Amino acid sequence: MSKYYRSLVTKISGQVLFLVINIFLFVHAGSIQAPGKLPGQMGPATWPRAILLALIFCSLVKIYYIWKDSRIPTPEESTEKIIDIENGVSVEEVVETQRNWKILVSAILLVFGFVLAISVLGFPLGCLIFLWAFTYLGGWRKTIYLLFITVLGTLFIAFLFVKWVYIPLPKGRFFFDDLTIAIYKILGIF
């Protein structure tokens, strides 16, 4: 097997494994018991299965794009861009990989920070800050887009969990508790 195909298999194998795990979990999430469930109510398997379905779709899209974007470089491209002929790595790939690792580590730390922060700040304020930082980290720099995504994202999630699914979100501590309740009252979801 050539280095090109080994590289392609390596890139796709992680996504395929993720896809298989999500399909397995989707099938087994249907067996979650729901004692006392009333007719017409969503069961406990509804949300996990919806999330898993979204993850399955995202995995398929990612596999498609990896396959679509993988192509064998022409000899002109290889002589111009390759710095390591043995491994076939270009300068752009090395820089992009280093950048991606920094973004990945930052995103993971941001998620952990969000989990810790919402217990003090409350969900609305914590979610606004998290979505702004995560969107900025993802490459969106225009203020109008950042405001649009963070405000609408926070409103949608708050309505989804508090108003429609009846799952209480953290209200925060100190004066943030009162601020969260005031925001919920303004939105009409508390």
Side-chain angles (χ1 to χ4, degrees):
M1 184 185 286
S2 73
K3 290 181 183 185
Y4 166 74
Y5 289 110
R6 279 188 298 217
S7 173
L8 180 61
V9 167
T10 303
K11 289 176 184 176
I12 288 182
S13 62
Q15 286 300 319
V16 170
L17 178 63
F18 190 63
L19 175 67
V20 169
I21 290 170
N22 285 325
I23 291 171
F24 174 80
L25 292 173
F26 180 82
V27 170
H28 288 289
S31 63
I32 297 174
Q33 298 297 319
K37 179 182 165 262
L38 299 173
Q41 278 187 334
M42 291 188 288
T46 303
W47 289 109
R49 289 186 100 186
I51 292 168
L52 287 166
L53 198 59
L55 288 172
I56 289 168
F57 175 75
C58 290
S59 292
L60 290 171
V61 169
K62 183 68 175 176
I63 290 169
Y64 169 75
Y65 278 110
I66 289 172
W67 175 76
K68 180 183 160 215
D69 292 340
S70 64
R71 63 178 183 78
I72 300 174
T74 65
E76 296 81 27
E77 292 174 330
S78 353
T79 55
E80 292 173 7
K81 293 184 179 179
I82 304 295
I83 58 165
D84 184 354
I85 300 296
E86 184 179 319
N87 296 323
V89 180
S90 69
V91 175
E92 292 84 9
E93 290 173 338
V94 171
V95 171
E96 186 67 23
T97 301
Q98 291 172 348
R99 182 179 169 273
N100 288 342
W101 274 106
K102 289 177 184 176
I103 290 173
L104 176 65
V105 169
S106 300
I108 291 170
L109 292 174
L110 193 59
V111 169
F112 282 120
F114 170 66
V115 170
L116 297 173
I118 61 171
S119 63
V120 175
L121 299 176
F123 179 78
L125 185 58
C127 189
L128 275 171
I129 294 169
F130 170 76
L131 284 178
W132 180 86
F134 203 80
T135 306
Y136 188 85
L137 184 64
W140 294 78
R141 299 291 190 261
K142 292 191 176 184
T143 307
I144 190 74
Y145 293 137
L146 287 171
L147 287 173
F148 183 74
I149 290 169
T150 57
V151 171
L152 288 182
T154 302
L155 290 174
F156 174 75
I157 294 169
F159 271 93
L160 175 68
F161 287 106
V162 177
K163 182 78 171 179
W164 299 321
V165 185
Y166 305 112
I167 295 177
L169 297 172
K171 292 185 185 87
R173 295 189 183 138
F174 315 116
F175 65 90
F176 293 114
D177 183 357
D178 297 330
L179 178 64
T180 299
I181 292 172
I183 291 170
Y184 286 169
K185 285 183 179 179
I186 290 169
L187 297 174
I189 59 176
F190 188 74

